């Protein structure tokens, strides 16, 4: 009989932040790789994720890092902010400081979601107890002894117990023996006594723990004293952070003396350039661990003695709101800070008389140890490891010695599958207690633990997409991906659901995640774009071929606005048969396209890919669309009909034909043909509203206001259309109807704006969406939002800066009835408007706004010339009526 392979077991001791982050990474990485795993979480706390730091319910206890720096994922920095937005704080931004309790809820929820997604691949057990010893088994595994008498056998153990407990060795014996001395202020019920009454309190330590407790215990009639050797409180974060600055030169192979001089010069430069020392200190963060390791033991000790307190108070800062509360308490003398130590303590009449090293005496009801973590790890599990030789203390006696997180034994080796992260690595890394460092360690640890378990895939035939390109997934997920891609190529609904199904079947499928990110970014699909993109990048690193990695890079660049167009063109040159990439590149109905390609170059791109498609209906549909963009309407019509003969549901071919009818002035024929298709083959079209918009354009041109209103309420009103399509189709139609006098009375623009997320309206990801957001806001007369959109565009990508920002200015002039200014601005933008993408018919709304501004400004000759040019392009009863109405 063949031996049954035993599932690998990883035990994590400690389920606070470090343990939870490790468990999240193990669950998600194992799921992506389809690596079976048993995970055991050992911690007595009632809820995973909170630990000591995030269990406090006091709303005054805030994180000391802005929300934008507290994501669980190093490659998805906005994850926590998005979680807050989804959980009752929609107005939060990355610079805000959330409460510690909310962050604990985030950790717990993120872990719970990871466990749910990992079901079927990872089994998770949660043991509400403590581990007190760890020993080797004869089979080379590890046995954890639990305080309740049980045990856990594991292949690997991660010790995530957090910082060492304070030792209170500084306290005189009489003080340590007193019931009014609190050595563990965060223990359940520890503060019940100090919360009662108004007796003064002495906090020993002036770091972040002391700040939190000072706020909790502050009340009228009480003085909270805080004592430390330095007498320094943490510095506050800046209310308005200055911009980042690069790290200084001279940080390599240097002594502590030279390093001191370089850092102080760097701080002085920051103060001169930014008026703030914080950017200088923050720029050191990526280099701190390397610099610490480069120092000799003597230099490290010297740094701790001379700069340790100064570093901590400047590096670990208070939230601005916390700093303001502390300042008020100090101003009113309810918080007093002292420099020194306690030399004696004596109980008197239910209080403590404490003598300080400066000779001053304080009579207080309680003394609370806020000195922070101790140097040495003293709990039973760590003691058993030290005593058994499986672990040795870290540099300067701080924490434990490790090699990339793996514990050193007493012989200097790192052979046992024993790992740690976070605070126990302080001696090795110095800066290792904050979430930004711990999440990186957790991700690296998951990669290391799972690397030996990942099965090498047998070389064989991979499933393929609709055009024969191989896919790095299994057959079922490939089928779902083919379905999603085909729906995009046909412009049919259901593509998002198909890609969701693909990644559910194979969470490690990079192309599935990338397609979802693309749909969310460019089409407004209900997708967490940064999350999908991060998943795509992770999967591409672990399992993807060169084409798939290239496509993920294309999507990444488009989302981030980093040469996405150039990357897409290069991708298609290397992989011309990638139909989804080609659909993204050509500005038709599904995507905004490559914005710096004019019609001739776009057609050239499509023509170069022709050999890979051999007359395929999708490729023929794209050619039809681009031919009409060139004005070659007859040829475009023939190509569209050829594509429709092969695939009657081809939305791209229908779209091309709709433009042929509109641009040629065949409004009655176009209206009737398209209306029939929408009622038949077009029932399943994902952009059915856009086809209805095209019909409404014909009705506008035919000067049929009754038909336009009927079309809008039946097929384009919010409720029937939502999100980006409500902007692109519904909002723009209303404005065009108002401009031509077709819509009388109040425009229902409020309904359109309410159906679109504020981010889409005021912080759009693409110039194409921004154009239509500007149109809708102009139709609503919302100057404030229009200016917010302008400000966003001014700091966004090049096209938004060059086109959208001045367009917002011109539209604002329309709203303010400064029509001369509006006309000048709009006229200057017409030659560059193509850069925003989309079709000529969509961009025509700017030309129609210009026409309106010219007439309103009394520039009738210019308006007449513009109308004559429009009528030369195609028949339009509406334009003829407007021309006839101009004063001679």
């Amino acid at each position: 009989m063949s031996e049954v392979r035993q599932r690998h077991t990883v035990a994590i001791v400690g389920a606070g932040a470090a343990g939870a982050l490790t468990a999240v990474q193990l669950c998600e990485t194992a799921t992506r790789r389809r690596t079976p795993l048993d995970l055991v979480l050992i911690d007595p706390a009632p809820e995973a994720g909170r630990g000591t730091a995030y269990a406090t319910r006091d709303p005054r206890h805030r994180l000391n890092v802005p929300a934008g720096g507290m994501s669980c994922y190093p490659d998805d920095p906005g994850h926590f902010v998005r979680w807050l937005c989804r959980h009752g704080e929609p107005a939060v931004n990355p610079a805000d400081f959330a409460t510690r309790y909310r962050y604990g809820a985030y950790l717990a929820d993120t872990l719970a979601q990871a466990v749910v997604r990992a079901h079927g691949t990872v089994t998770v057990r949660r043991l509400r107890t403590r581990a007190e010893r760890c020993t080797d088994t004869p089979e080379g595994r590890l046995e954890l002894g639990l305080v309740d008498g049980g045990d856990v056998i594991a292949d690997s153990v991660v010790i995530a117990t957090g910082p060492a407990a304070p030792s209170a060795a500084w306290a005189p014996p009489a003080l340590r023996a007193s019931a009014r001395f609190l050595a563990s202020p965060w223990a359940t019920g520890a503060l019940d006594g100090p919360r009662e009454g108004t007796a003064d309190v002495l906090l020993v330590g002036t770091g972040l723990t002391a700040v939190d407790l000072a706020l909790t215990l502050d009340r009228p009639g009480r003085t909270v004293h805080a004592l430390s050797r330095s007498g320094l409180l943490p510095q506050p974060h800046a209310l308005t952070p200055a911009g980042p600055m690069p790290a200084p030169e001279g940080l390599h192979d240097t002594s502590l003396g030279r390093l001191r001089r370089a850092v102080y010069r760097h701080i002085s430069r920051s103060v001169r350039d930014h008026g703030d020392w914080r950017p200088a200190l923050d720029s050191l963060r990526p280099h701190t661990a390397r610099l610490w390791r480069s120092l000799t033991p003597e230099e490290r000790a010297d740094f701790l003695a001379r700069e340790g307190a100064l570093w901590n108070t400047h590096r670990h800062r208070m939230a601005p709101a916390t700093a303001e509360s502390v300042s008020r308490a100090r101003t009113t003398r309810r918080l007093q800070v002292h420099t020194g130590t306690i030399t004696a303590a004596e109980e008197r009449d239910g209080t403590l008389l404490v003598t300080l090293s400066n000779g001053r005496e304080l009579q207080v009801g309680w003394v609370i140890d806020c000195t922070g973590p101790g140097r040495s790890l003293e709990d039973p599990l760590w003691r058993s490891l030290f005593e058994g030789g499986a672990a040795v203390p870290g540099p300067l006696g701080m924490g434990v010695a490790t090699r990339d997180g793996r514990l050193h034994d007493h012989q200097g080796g790192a052979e046992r599958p024993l790992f740690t992260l976070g605070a126990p690595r302080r001696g090795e890394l110095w800066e290792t207690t904050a979430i930004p460092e711990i999440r990186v360690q957790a991700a690296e640890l998951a990669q290391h633990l799972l690397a030996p378990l990942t099965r090498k895939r047998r070389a064989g035939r991979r499933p393929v997409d609709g055009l024969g390109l191989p896919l790095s997934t299994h057959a079922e997920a490939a089928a779902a991906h083919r379905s999603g891609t085909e729906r995009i190529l046909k412009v049919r609904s259901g593509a998002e659901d198909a890609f969701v199904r693909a990644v559910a079947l194979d969470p490690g499928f990079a192309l599935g995640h990338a397609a979802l990110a693309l749909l969310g970014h460019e089409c407004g699909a209900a997708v967490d774009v940064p999350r999908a993109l991060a998943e795509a990048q992770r999967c591409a690193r672990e399992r993807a071929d060169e084409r798939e990695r290239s496509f993920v890079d294309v999507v990444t660049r488009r989302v981030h606005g980093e040469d996405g167009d150039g990357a897409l063109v290069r991708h298609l040159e290397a992989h011309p048969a990638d139909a989804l990439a080609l659909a993204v590149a050509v500005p038709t109905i599904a995507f905004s396209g490559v914005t710096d390609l004019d019609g001739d170059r776009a057609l050239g791109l499509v023509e170069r890919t022709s050999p890979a498609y051999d007359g395929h209906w999708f490729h023929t549909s794209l050619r039809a669309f681009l031919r009409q963009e060139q004005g070659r309407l007859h040829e475009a019509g023939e190509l569209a009909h050829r594509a429709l003969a092969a695939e009657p549901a081809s939305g791209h071919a229908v779209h091309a034909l709709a433009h042929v009818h509109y641009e040629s002035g065949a409004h009655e024929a176009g209206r009737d043909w398209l209306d029939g298709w929408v009622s038949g083959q077009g029932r399943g079209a994902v952009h059915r509203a856009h086809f209805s918009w095209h019909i409404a354009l014909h009705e506008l041109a035919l000067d049929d206001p009754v038909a336009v209103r009927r079309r809008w309420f039946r097929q384009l009103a919010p409720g029937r259309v939502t999100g980006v399509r409500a902007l692109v189709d519904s909002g723009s139609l209303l404005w065009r109807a108002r401009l031509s006098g077709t819509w009388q009375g109040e425009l229902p623009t409020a309904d359109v704006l309410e159906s679109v997320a504020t981010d889409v309206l005021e912080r759009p990801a693409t110039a194409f969406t921004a154009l239509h957001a500007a149109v809708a806001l102009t139709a609503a007369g919302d100057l404030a939002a229009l200016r917010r959109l302008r400000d966003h565009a001014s700091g966004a990508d090049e096209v938004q800066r060059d086109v959208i920002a001045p367009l917002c200015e011109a539209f604002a002039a329309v709203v303010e009835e400064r029509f001369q200014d509006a006309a000048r601005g709009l006229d200057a933008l017409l030659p560059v408007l193509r850069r925003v993408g989309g079709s000529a018919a969509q961009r025509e709304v700017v030309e129609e706004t210009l026409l309106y501004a010219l007439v309103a400004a009394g520039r009738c000759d210019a308006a007449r010339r513009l109308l004559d040019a429009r009528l030369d392009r195609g028949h339009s009863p509406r334009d003829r009526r407007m021309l006839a109405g101009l004063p001679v």
Side-chain angles (χ1 to χ4, degrees):
M1 294 179 62
S2 60
E3 184 179 350
V4 177
R5 185 178 180 278
Q6 194 171 30
R7 288 167 63 98
H8 193 89
T9 298
V10 175
I12 300 176
V13 181
L21 290 172
T22 304
V24 166
Q25 290 289 344
L26 282 170
C27 285
E28 295 191 355
T29 306
T31 302
R32 283 197 305 274
R33 298 181 180 183
R34 288 179 271 169
T35 301
L37 184 70
D38 290 334
L39 186 60
V40 186
L41 281 172
I42 304 170
D43 192 297
E47 185 178 11
R50 294 197 177 277
T52 299
Y54 309 117
T56 170
R57 291 180 176 271
D58 192 326
R60 292 166 293 190
H61 295 173
R62 295 190 170 270
L63 299 173
N64 63 310
V65 174
M70 293 295 287
S71 167
C72 286
Y73 302 99
D75 53 359
D76 184 6
H79 189 260
F80 178 45
V81 175
R82 300 197 306 278
W83 183 91
L84 288 170
C85 290
R86 292 194 302 269
H87 290 80
E89 299 183 46
V92 73
N93 69 68
D96 290 339
F97 291 80
T99 65
R100 293 183 180 277
Y101 194 78
R102 287 289 276 164
Y103 189 71
Y106 163 69
L107 287 174
D109 185 57
T110 302
L111 175 57
Q113 294 296 323
V115 171
V116 169
R117 288 192 297 269
H119 181 70
T121 302
V122 182
T123 65
V124 180
R125 282 192 296 153
R126 175 93 153 78
L127 303 181
R128 293 273 306 277
T129 184
R130 296 183 187 276
E132 59 180 357
R133 58 179 173 78
C134 180
T135 56
D136 299 323
T137 71
E139 300 82 20
R141 305 174 83 195
L142 295 169
E143 180 179 348
L144 290 167
L146 309 179
V147 295
D148 59 10
D151 59 58
V152 171
I153 306 295
D155 298 281
S156 304
V157 171
V158 178
I159 305 177
T161 50
S167 66
W170 53 267
L175 179 59
R176 288 201 301 271
S178 172
R180 292 189 168 271
F181 173 64
L182 301 182
S184 301
W186 297 118
T188 303
L191 297 178
D192 290 349
R195 280 197 179 99
E196 296 176 358
T198 58
D200 290 354
V201 175
L202 173 60
L203 309 177
V204 181
T206 56
L208 291 168
T209 297
V211 166
D212 281 346
L213 292 186
L215 297 181
T216 295
L217 300 175
D218 179 33
R219 55 183 41 82
R222 161 182 284 172
T223 299
V224 176
H225 300 273
L227 170 73
S228 71
R229 294 179 185 275
S230 68
L232 297 174
L233 287 170
Q235 292 290 312
H237 281 277
L239 279 172
T240 306
M245 67 183 297
E249 297 180 0
L251 294 184
H252 297 278
D253 302 323
T254 186
S255 68
L256 179 60
R258 288 194 295 270
L259 183 59
R260 269 196 187 106
R261 290 191 291 272
V263 169
Y264 280 115
R265 283 196 303 268
H266 185 53
I267 291 172
S268 298
R269 189 180 309 116
S270 178
V271 173
R272 284 196 311 271
D273 295 347
H274 299 280
D276 190 356
W277 51 266
R278 295 171 183 83
L281 205 63
D282 294 342
S283 72
L284 298 175
R285 187 165 188 169
H287 309 279
T288 304
R290 177 181 59 79
L291 294 172
W292 177 258
R293 284 195 296 263
S294 72
L295 299 178
T296 65
E298 293 76 20
E299 287 175 323
R300 293 178 187 177
D302 185 20
F303 168 78
L304 291 179
R306 293 174 57 181
E307 279 99 9
L310 197 62
W311 173 271
N312 284 329
T313 56
H314 286 74
R315 169 66 185 79
H316 303 288
R317 303 169 207 148
M318 294 184 280
T322 302
E324 184 179 349
S325 297
V326 168
S327 178
R328 283 198 303 268
R330 295 191 75 181
T331 300
T332 59
R333 304 290 293 170
R334 293 208 301 269
L335 172 62
Q336 297 182 24
V337 180
H338 309 275
T339 303
T341 60
I342 294 178
T343 57
E346 178 185 351
E347 286 207 39
R348 284 189 185 177
D349 302 324
T351 63
L352 284 167
L353 182 65
V354 179
T355 304
L356 307 185
S357 54
N358 61 8
R360 181 174 179 178
E361 291 185 338
L362 299 175
Q363 189 161 4
V364 297
W366 305 87
V367 174
I368 304 177
D369 188 351
C370 301
T371 55
R375 283 200 172 194
S376 57
L377 299 161
E378 297 291 345
D379 69 71
L381 177 59
W382 282 112
R383 279 203 306 271
S384 79
L385 292 170
F386 290 134
E387 291 167 1
V392 293
L396 303 182
M398 294 191 298
V400 61
T402 70
R403 182 184 302 160
D404 297 327
R406 193 165 189 157
L407 268 60
H408 280 184
D409 61 23
H410 68 289
Q411 295 178 331
E415 302 301 326
R416 288 181 179 83
L418 264 172
F419 303 85
T420 192
L421 75 165
R425 298 183 66 184
R426 186 164 175 250
E428 174 194 7
L429 302 176
W430 177 237
E431 285 290 330
T432 181
T433 58
I435 293 296
E437 283 76 34
I438 295 174
R439 67 190 180 193
V440 171
Q441 295 174 29
E444 292 173 346
L445 193 53
Q447 295 286 331
H448 181 81
L449 288 170
L450 294 175
L453 310 180
T454 303
R455 293 174 294 178
K456 290 187 177 180
R457 303 185 185 281
R458 293 176 295 177
R461 198 167 196 175
R462 288 188 289 165
V464 296
D465 69 5
L467 284 160
L469 296 176
L471 299 172
S472 297
T473 187
H474 53 69
E476 294 84 355
H481 186 268
R482 281 194 299 272
S483 173
T485 303
E486 183 176 317
R487 289 173 183 275
I488 288 177
L489 302 188
K490 290 181 179 178
V491 197
R492 309 292 285 180
S493 61
E496 179 187 342
D497 292 340
F499 291 128
V500 167
R501 188 165 64 253
V503 297
L505 289 165
D506 180 6
F509 185 23
L511 284 189
H513 292 294
L516 284 171
L518 184 68
L519 290 180
H521 175 67
E522 301 220 5
C523 305
V527 175
D528 185 340
V529 174
R531 172 77 177 170
L533 189 59
E535 289 286 3
Q537 293 165 339
R538 295 165 193 156
C539 298
R541 288 192 295 268
E542 294 178 357
R543 180 188 6 126
D545 62 20
E546 191 277 331
R547 176 186 71 90
E548 293 167 321
R549 288 193 297 272
S550 175
F551 185 79
V552 170
D553 180 61
V554 164
V555 176
T556 300
R557 290 176 180 273
R558 287 185 75 83
V559 170
H560 293 160
E562 301 171 352
D563 189 33
D565 289 351
L568 180 53
V569 171
R570 292 190 296 272
H571 174 83
L572 283 167
E573 288 170 350
H575 310 285
D578 193 331
L580 183 53
L582 188 59
V584 175
V586 179
T588 61
I589 187 173
F591 301 99
S592 59
V594 175
T595 56
D596 63 353
L597 283 180
D598 60 27
D600 291 337
R601 286 190 293 161
L603 184 61
L605 176 65
V606 171
E607 295 293 359
R608 288 196 300 274
T609 62
S610 288
Y613 292 87
D614 193 24
H616 191 278
W617 57 264
F618 166 65
H619 195 270
T620 304
S621 301
L622 296 187
R623 291 174 61 207
F625 183 82
L626 292 173
R627 290 297 188 203
Q628 66 79 28
E629 283 275 289
Q630 292 180 306
R632 298 160 67 173
L633 301 180
H634 179 72
E635 187 179 349
E638 287 185 343
L639 289 168
H641 283 298
R642 187 189 307 168
L644 287 168
E647 176 49 74
S650 173
H652 287 297
V654 173
H655 191 216
L657 202 54
H659 280 275
V660 169
H661 286 138
Y662 184 74
E663 300 295 343
S664 64
H667 297 302
E668 292 91 344
R671 175 197 60 197
D672 296 342
W673 185 88
L674 193 51
D675 210 2
W677 185 85
V678 167
S679 303
Q681 287 284 350
R683 287 181 180 274
V686 67
H687 297 305
R688 194 162 181 247
H690 188 63
F691 295 117
S692 296
W693 174 82
H694 269 283
I695 302 170
L697 286 192
H698 288 306
E699 292 166 341
L700 268 177
L702 291 168
D703 217 14
D704 188 347
V706 173
V708 171
R709 292 178 73 99
R710 182 170 59 240
R711 182 79 52 189
W712 197 88
F713 283 112
R714 288 182 178 178
Q715 296 177 352
L716 289 163
R720 301 180 183 278
V721 187
T722 58
V724 174
R725 284 260 69 98
L727 277 184
V728 173
D729 299 321
S730 310
S732 68
L733 179 66
L734 285 177
W735 182 234
R736 292 168 85 146
R738 165 56 58 83
L739 291 173
S740 63
T742 304
W743 193 292
Q744 299 298 321
E746 184 179 354
L747 285 180
T749 50
D751 297 338
V752 174
L753 298 182
E754 287 174 4
S755 70
V756 183
T758 302
D759 274 359
V760 174
L761 273 174
E762 299 181 10
R763 294 177 290 278
T766 67
F768 177 75
T769 303
L771 164 65
H772 289 87
V775 168
L777 293 171
T778 303
D782 192 338
L783 273 174
L786 196 57
R787 285 174 175 145
R788 289 193 292 271
L789 174 60
R790 175 204 60 194
D791 293 343
H792 161 78
S794 298
D797 59 80
E798 183 180 357
V799 179
Q800 292 206 50
R801 290 196 303 271
D802 294 349
V803 182
I804 300 302
L807 183 67
C808 289
E809 292 282 6
F811 279 166
V814 172
V815 175
E816 293 176 324
E817 300 184 356
R818 295 183 288 108
F819 295 116
Q820 289 282 13
D821 294 339
R824 278 194 298 271
L826 294 170
D827 189 51
L829 287 168
L830 287 184
V832 297
L833 201 59
R834 181 187 288 273
R835 295 177 64 193
V836 305
S839 68
Q842 289 169 316
R843 298 189 297 269
E844 192 180 50
V845 67
V846 177
E847 182 184 78
E848 294 183 354
T849 309
L850 170 60
L851 178 61
Y852 176 83
L854 289 171
V855 173
R859 296 175 57 188
C860 295
D861 288 342
R864 186 174 291 106
R865 287 192 296 271
L866 182 53
L867 280 168
D868 285 338
R870 287 166 61 89
L871 286 165
D872 285 343
R873 295 200 303 260
H875 166 70
S876 171
R878 174 201 55 189
D879 285 357
R880 290 207 174 276
R881 186 251 306 166
M882 294 177 71
L883 182 62
L886 289 176
V888 178

